[in-house]
Amino acid sequence: MADMISQAEMREKYLRKGMLPTIFCNGCGHGSSLDYTFRAIEELGLDLDDIVFASGIGCSSRIPGYINADGLHTTHGRSLAFATGVKAANPDLNVVVFSGDGDATGIGGNHFIHAARRNIDMTVIILNNFIYGMTGGQVAPTSPKGTIATTAPYGNLEGAFDISELAKSLGAAYVARWPVFYPQQPIKSIKDAISTRGFSLVELMSPCPTAYGRRNKLGNIKNLWDWYENNSVLAEEYDKIMNYGTDEEKAATINKIKIGVFQHTEKVGFFEAYEEQIKNLMANDDKKWGGV
Amino acid sequence: MRYELDPVRVRKILGNKKQFIMGDMAIAYGGLLAGVGFFGGYPITPASEVAEGMARMLPRAGGTFIQMEDEIASMAAIIGAAWSGTKTMTATSGPGFSLMMENYGYAIMTETPCVIANVQRTGPSTGQPTQGAQGDMLQTRWGSHGDMMAIALCPSTVQECLDMTIESFNLSEKYRHPVVLLADGEVGHLREKVVIPDVDEMELFERIEATVDKDKFIPYSESQTNPGSKVPDFPTFGSGYRSYVTGLTHNDMGFPATDKQPDHERLINRLVSKITDDREKLTDVEEIELEDAEVVFVTYGASARPAESAVRMARAKGIKAGMLRLKLVWPFPEKAIYDLSKKVNKIIVPEMSLGQMVHPIREFAAKDCEVIVAPKVGGVMHLPVELLEYLEEGA
Amino acid sequence: MIEILDDWCKGCEICVNRCPVQALEISEIMNKKGVRVPRLKAVNKCYQCRLCEQLCPDFAITVTKEEKEEGEEKECKLIIGGVCAD
Ligand SMILES: Cc1ncc(C[n+]2csc(CCOP(=O)(O)OP(=O)(O)O)c2C)c(N)n1
Ligand code: SF4
Ligand code: SF4
Ligand code: SF4
Ligand SMILES: [Mg+2]
């Protein structure tokens, strides 16, 4: 642990000069995810020259701008489609996408489900704050029922997306969800996500004091961060309680957000399969023509 | 990197030198000959055959074809692929082109070379899916929000579908700009003879990649290897330049400068003038019977075909008719139109719409030259005799 | 030791609130944005777990290992602007 890279070293090695401080508000969880990503890259021994970071639009989507690597800050919701092209034209690149809950499951929901369905080899880190942060707190597809938002002033009536559950059902190779305030689990998950072939999702629940916490009376920064802690439960723990717990334990747990690693499989990535198909087609032509 | 496409292999895949093919297929051929390494598209009449041709041939050449989930994704994917260092292309028609608008603007803002073949139909909305028209002439120029310039070519024959696709790639690489091949459903679905160029018969412009020291590289300013060019050198992803590409207003170093008026002004002026500085060099027109003409058509695309017939018929009747065909419609050939308007009495613009290009033509024609549209809507082409009447009236 | 890049600190107090042994406190020192920045308490039980460093969303904290002198256990030092001030 003590040999872990320090923030002072990260400032030199990973941060893009001249871009910090971040635009994130005081108490925003998004910045921590940047720290975890660097630690994951460091522990994997990857070279920033071989990674492309893509994103859409939103506070969360500003992350690639702070990383001293190739970055593609695209249009709202479309980052996964852009990233698919990046990977298609150079499958040797590692592609990591940062997205927000609104970016990935609102305007970009269609791209999200298709990138997962195709099993495009990329890592998607979604910073879920249950709200449209950048535009000032409008309701998101992830906002829990009852959320007060500028566009749901009387309380949100819509059901919320469970992003990890969605990705899991789409057959994503790797799916995990963590709150941002436990460093070790997200770091490990980002490492595993990058190392897993195919489509990987790491959903980080990231407190947004400005646009979500304040309006939903979750108190100051400390209380908001604590709220996440008190309202999440390890998936395994959840199952145990639901199966064997007392009625009181069940009642105290049923509305909590499950966290943990939900899926971890090995599947041939789309571009691996594509490469194989190209090889066969070329070999066929070569046979037909007796060489090019 | 996988995408070193072998031009000899590509040429072999295409087959015989002379073929009888449809305009859409000629567009696919042109893309392959230009060296496209990635095609992302979504089916839409009358452009689907371009994607179908690519799906069949591109993987055999070593490139990647993906049918994306929609046109927004198609446009996004080709931009992403361009940044990984390959030539990229999509094909669509009206409704799909409308969906591409936001990312088309993104490609302009980020100076991403790529080609959009738009085999046009009409609208608004779904309109007449199976009929050709010329519905996106102005959307190409003005469709994205904010200030922008467009580069667009209009083929009138199947051969031009092939040749102009190659030219579209050359221009997009040269100016680092998304280039639109504005075909129409008529030429797209027309079958004609084409002659397929061999590898040594083509001139291809290859992207100027960044080569300066990484710590001296300026990603969004004038070229550092090609002095005087307003087109910056391209820092391909993975080549170590670690560039940040954003649709936000950015400064020369690529950093967001959204609240900096001088940065925005400098950026936008460069994005536009890198193209408009070359407006006259880019102008590409065909002149027919113009020497002594008094009444003329200014045409483009499929409508040039009946228009040319009408000019011949009028000449046989002794009418001093002529025609100027715009092969490149954007950036608009302002001087060519002004010069023409000084020589003739009347300009008639046959269009498969209620009139789109007639507007810039009127804008740049001298004030004593009358400019009118000869509209034809409903998914059919003008008949030469209909257009002859316009010439007779104008004479 | 805990080094804090004062001018990058936004004052969220996440480090202070999450330290498992409450070793940090908000000090009287103001950075150039007018934010009062955290420091180790004069007496503290910091054991260099580095949680505060990993959580800091603004890359402002670096925890360095205490140099232990032969035979003696030292408390954490408070460093201001790189100068030892404890
Ligand atoms: C096409 C389009 N529609 C709307 C917007 C405005 N917009 C910018 S960010 C945003 C919401 C982002 O929310 P989320 O993805 O959850 O990110 P957060 O800011 O919460 O991190 C919206 C609606 C836009 N930029 N583009
Ligand atoms: S608005 Fe919310 S998500 Fe955006 S930077 Fe502020 S706290 Fe973070
Ligand atoms: S290193 Fe650990 S113990 Fe020391 S101040 Fe930071 S969080 Fe507290
Ligand atoms: S976590 Fe970082 S930004 Fe927040 S108060 Fe501590 S040092 Fe300052
Ligand atoms: Mg959000």
Side-chain angles (χ1 to χ4, degrees):
Chain A
M1 171 83 54
D3 298 329
M4 200 171 52
I5 185 169
S6 73
Q7 287 203 327
E9 289 165 311
M10 282 194 278
R11 292 199 291 261
E12 292 306 310
K13 188 168 174 185
Y14 290 112
L15 286 178
R16 193 183 286 281
K17 287 217 163 52
M19 289 284 279
L20 266 84
T22 63
I23 60 153
F24 305 137
C25 309
N26 193 18
C28 176
H30 290 0
S32 306
S33 71
L34 189 53
D35 174 291
Y36 305 160
T37 305
F38 292 161
R39 290 181 201 275
I41 291 169
E42 178 76 15
E43 288 177 28
L44 288 171
L46 297 176
D47 185 343
L48 278 187
D49 279 346
D50 302 328
I51 313 177
V52 174
F53 294 89
S55 66
I57 297 289
C59 298
S60 31
S61 293
R62 286 300 192 93
I63 296 265
Y66 304 121
I67 307 175
N68 186 21
D70 288 325
L72 193 63
H73 178 227
T74 68
T75 47
H76 192 25
R78 320 299 174 192
S79 57
L80 293 176
F82 280 88
T84 298
V86 169
K87 186 75 182 174
N90 187 353
D92 294 341
L93 292 170
N94 252 310
V95 177
V96 178
V97 180
F98 279 93
S99 185
D101 49 316
D103 193 63
T105 67
I107 192 167
N110 201 30
H111 310 303
F112 180 73
I113 60 179
H114 288 285
R117 175 185 65 81
R118 289 189 185 103
N119 199 27
I120 303 289
D121 193 351
M122 56 168 73
T123 298
V124 182
I125 301 173
I126 296 180
L127 305 183
N128 184 358
N129 51 15
F130 306 134
I131 202 82
Y132 282 14
M134 176 157 267
T135 38
Q138 295 80 12
V139 70
T142 46
S143 303
K145 269 197 179 147
T147 295
I148 304 293
T150 58
T151 49
Y154 310 117
N156 177 30
L157 299 175
E158 299 174 23
F161 260 141
D162 179 329
I163 302 178
S164 287
E165 203 54 50
L166 178 63
K168 198 177 141 192
S169 68
L170 291 164
Y174 184 91
V175 181
R177 170 164 56 216
W178 300 108
V180 282
F181 48 78
Y182 300 140
Q184 291 317 311
Q185 292 81 347
I187 294 170
K188 168 94 169 46
S189 275
I190 295 170
K191 275 167 66 178
D192 288 346
I194 293 176
S195 315
T196 301
R197 292 151 88 194
F199 188 88
S200 304
L201 169 75
V202 181
E203 178 189 349
L204 296 179
M205 294 192 292
S206 176
C208 167
T210 308
Y212 185 77
R214 197 166 38 95
R215 206 164 277 119
N216 286 284
K217 309 226 167 6
L218 298 176
N220 58 17
I221 296 167
K222 177 181 183 307
N223 291 347
L224 178 60
W225 280 57
D226 290 349
W227 182 90
Y228 279 80
E229 189 157 41
N230 299 333
N231 286 280
S232 53
V233 55
L234 272 173
E236 302 88 61
E237 205 54 35
Y238 180 93
D239 293 344
K240 266 186 249 167
I241 293 171
M242 287 308 144
N243 285 331
Y244 312 114
T246 63
D247 287 348
E248 276 146 48
E249 283 174 322
K250 283 182 190 167
T253 311
I254 191 149
N255 289 323
K256 288 191 176 176
I257 303 162
K258 283 193 261 184
I259 55 176
V261 178
F262 302 115
Q263 196 143 279
H264 195 177
T265 55
E266 280 291 332
K267 298 204 289 183
V268 177
F270 175 82
F271 291 112
E272 284 178 78
Y274 207 99
E275 206 143 352
E276 192 61 29
Q277 193 170 61
I278 287 178
K279 242 195 271 159
N280 293 338
L281 288 167
M282 284 189 164
N284 253 355
D285 278 341
D286 289 346
K287 208 158 85 197
K288 198 166 68 197
W289 296 331
V292 182
Chain B
M1 266 194 294
R2 182 145 57 89
Y3 293 94
E4 291 296 325
L5 270 73
D6 176 1
V8 177
R9 180 182 288 274
V10 170
R11 184 61 195 85
K12 269 190 132 167
I13 291 168
L14 299 187
N16 293 343
K17 180 93 187 152
K18 289 183 186 160
Q19 294 182 27
F20 196 74
I21 56 171
M22 159 191 290
D24 279 359
M25 196 50 65
I27 293 170
Y29 279 28
L32 286 158
L33 287 165
V36 72
F38 179 80
F39 184 102
Y42 190 82
I44 186 167
T45 307
S48 299
E49 291 86 350
V50 183
E52 288 166 355
M54 282 292 183
R56 238 181 306 125
M57 295 179 286
L58 187 52
R60 286 175 63 199
T64 301
F65 167 91
I66 306 183
Q67 180 175 315
M68 298 299 293
E69 52 273 26
D70 57 29
E71 288 86 349
I72 302 176
S74 303
M75 190 63 208
I78 69 166
I79 294 169
W83 278 94
S84 284
T86 190
K87 293 184 185 175
T88 68
M89 180 179 185
T90 186
T92 190
S93 190
F97 195 55
S98 296
L99 285 182
M100 288 178 183
M101 274 304 125
E102 187 191 11
N103 287 338
Y104 174 56
Y106 180 87
I108 292 170
M109 190 60 146
T110 55
E111 304 182 65
T112 307
C114 54
V115 172
I116 306 157
N118 179 355
V119 189
Q120 296 171 92
R121 57 196 242 192
T122 186
S125 190
T126 314
Q128 295 178 289
T130 59
Q131 311 289 308
Q134 295 163 335
D136 300 321
M137 304 305 295
L138 295 186
Q139 186 174 205
T140 302
R141 172 67 184 84
W142 301 106
S144 185
H145 48 285
D147 298 294
M148 55 171 273
M149 186 35 67
I151 304 179
L153 298 98
C154 276
S156 297
T157 64
V158 175
Q159 182 71 49
E160 280 188 346
C161 285
L162 189 155
D163 298 339
M164 285 187 180
T165 303
I166 297 176
E167 182 60 11
S168 297
F169 274 98
N170 285 346
L171 294 174
S172 91
E173 295 295 338
K174 181 168 178 198
Y175 292 98
R176 279 187 60 178
H177 192 86
V179 172
V180 185
L181 181 78
L182 276 172
D184 42 53
E186 273 27 65
V187 265
H189 276 178
L190 183 70
R191 281 177 194 274
E192 271 181 333
K193 191 188 89 174
V194 292
V195 180
I196 298 163
D198 290 321
V199 174
D200 55 5
E201 291 168 342
M202 290 184 296
E203 265 183 56
L204 297 183
F205 186 98
E206 300 302 336
R207 192 174 304 178
I208 296 177
E209 303 216 14
T211 50
V212 294
D213 284 354
K214 303 210 157 78
D215 50 346
K216 296 204 182 77
F217 181 57
I218 305 171
Y220 295 97
S221 186
E222 317 215 324
S223 167
Q224 289 171 284
T225 57
N226 191 8
S229 164
K230 289 182 178 173
V231 184
D233 305 333
F234 193 87
T236 307
F237 281 172
S239 66
Y241 281 91
R242 301 189 174 184
S243 35
Y244 184 55
V245 183
T246 177
L248 293 171
T249 286
H250 40 274
N251 62 21
D252 290 1
M253 294 311 293
F255 294 168
T258 48
D259 51 0
K260 307 235 164 50
Q261 188 276 339
D263 284 326
H264 184 83
E265 186 170 342
R266 190 166 70 247
L267 174 65
I268 292 302
N269 282 330
R270 184 176 59 75
L271 292 184
V272 170
S273 66
K274 71 178 178 182
I275 297 164
T276 53
D277 285 355
D278 285 353
R279 188 190 297 274
E280 281 175 47
K281 229 166 48 188
L282 286 166
T283 294
D284 191 2
V285 294
E286 184 189 11
E287 302 186 350
I288 292 168
E289 306 277 8
L290 280 186
E291 299 78 54
D292 59 343
E294 288 166 359
V295 53
V296 298
F297 290 127
V298 174
T299 66
Y300 59 88
S303 342
R305 301 171 72 115
E308 186 175 347
S309 305
V311 169
R312 307 271 175 232
M313 288 155 74
R315 282 279 166 180
K317 290 186 162 190
I319 301 170
K320 288 190 171 165
M323 173 172 128
L324 184 78
R325 176 165 75 95
L326 311 182
K327 298 204 242 172
L328 179 132
V329 287
W330 305 114
F332 190 70
E334 296 172 0
K335 185 168 188 310
I337 293 298
Y338 180 76
D339 289 349
L340 177 72
S341 69
K342 296 290 274 187
K343 288 197 302 205
V344 303
N345 302 326
K346 186 169 185 174
I347 291 175
I348 301 152
V349 188
E351 296 195 78
M352 295 176 70
S353 67
L354 290 180
Q356 297 202 0
M357 293 307 289
V358 66
H359 297 292
I361 292 170
R362 197 174 280 144
E363 183 181 352
F364 291 101
K367 70 174 184 317
D368 41 4
C369 173
E370 192 189 354
V371 178
I372 64 159
V373 62
K376 187 85 188 181
V377 294
V380 287
M381 290 173 70
H382 298 84
L383 294 173
V385 286
E386 291 167 351
L387 290 177
L388 177 62
E389 280 176 30
Y390 281 93
L391 294 175
E392 285 170 341
E393 268 169 42
Chain C
M1 286 192 294
I2 306 236
E3 290 173 45
I4 293 176
L5 190 63
D6 288 348
D7 286 337
W8 284 29
C9 171
K10 289 182 184 148
C12 65
E13 301 182 25
I14 287 164
C15 53
V16 176
N17 291 327
R18 295 254 145 206
C19 169
V21 293
Q22 289 86 45
L24 293 160
E25 65 185 358
I26 292 301
S27 71
E28 294 300 316
I29 303 163
M30 275 211 205
N31 70 11
K32 63 177 182 216
K33 286 177 286 196
V35 167
R36 287 171 57 199
V37 296
R39 285 288 185 269
L40 273 176
K41 291 177 181 165
V43 179
N44 65 75
K45 293 205 163 61
C46 172
Y47 61 112
Q48 292 133 33
C49 70
R50 302 184 68 179
L51 181 65
C52 55
E53 172 175 344
Q54 293 171 74
L55 283 174
C56 175
D58 287 282
F59 294 86
I61 303 183
T62 287
V63 180
T64 51
K65 214 176 176 172
E66 186 76 2
E67 298 281 329
K68 278 186 194 149
E69 281 180 29
E70 208 79 26
E72 73 169 306
E73 281 286 303
K74 270 191 89 179
E75 287 260 39
C76 259
K77 278 184 189 156
L78 178 61
I79 297 283
I80 298 173
V83 182
C84 180
D86 71 344

